Structure formats: structure tokens, C-alpha cells
Amino acid sequence: MSRVSGGGVVRAGIGFGTALAITISWTANKSLLWVLVHGILGWIYVVYYALVYHL
């Protein structure tokens, strides 16, 4: 019987959320400071952007 670990999925999801936040931030603001802030916030910024700008 093998053990299945979800760690890889979680790690990939966090990475994708960060990359998406950075891309959206750069497209919207063209500011390295905001890219860093939104990259740290990751999915929080992605959800905020979707709610505010109705993606």
C-alpha cells in the first residue's frame, strides 16, 4: 500500500498563485514595488483583482 502526499499539489498551487499575482500586478501597475507586494500576497491579490475587476 502506498502513501499519497498532497504536498506537491499544495506547493504547485502556491507557486501558480504567486506567478499569477505577479503577472496581473505588473500588467495593471507596471511597478516593481507592487509586484513584490502582490507576489508575497499571492492568491489574496488574485481573488481581490477578480472581485474588483470582474474577471
Side-chain angles (χ1 to χ4, degrees):
M1 200 186 233
S2 66
R3 268 182 85 182
V4 177
S5 175
V9 172
V10 172
R11 199 169 297 132
I14 291 171
F16 179 73
T18 301
L20 186 59
I22 288 170
T23 303
I24 292 170
S25 180
W26 181 257
T27 302
N29 302 307
K30 302 286 193 260
S31 168
L32 187 57
L33 176 63
W34 283 118
V35 165
L36 293 173
V37 170
H38 297 146
I40 291 168
L41 296 176
W43 279 111
I44 295 169
Y45 180 68
V46 173
V47 170
Y48 163 79
Y49 189 88
L51 291 173
V52 172
Y53 296 102
H54 306 291
L55 285 178

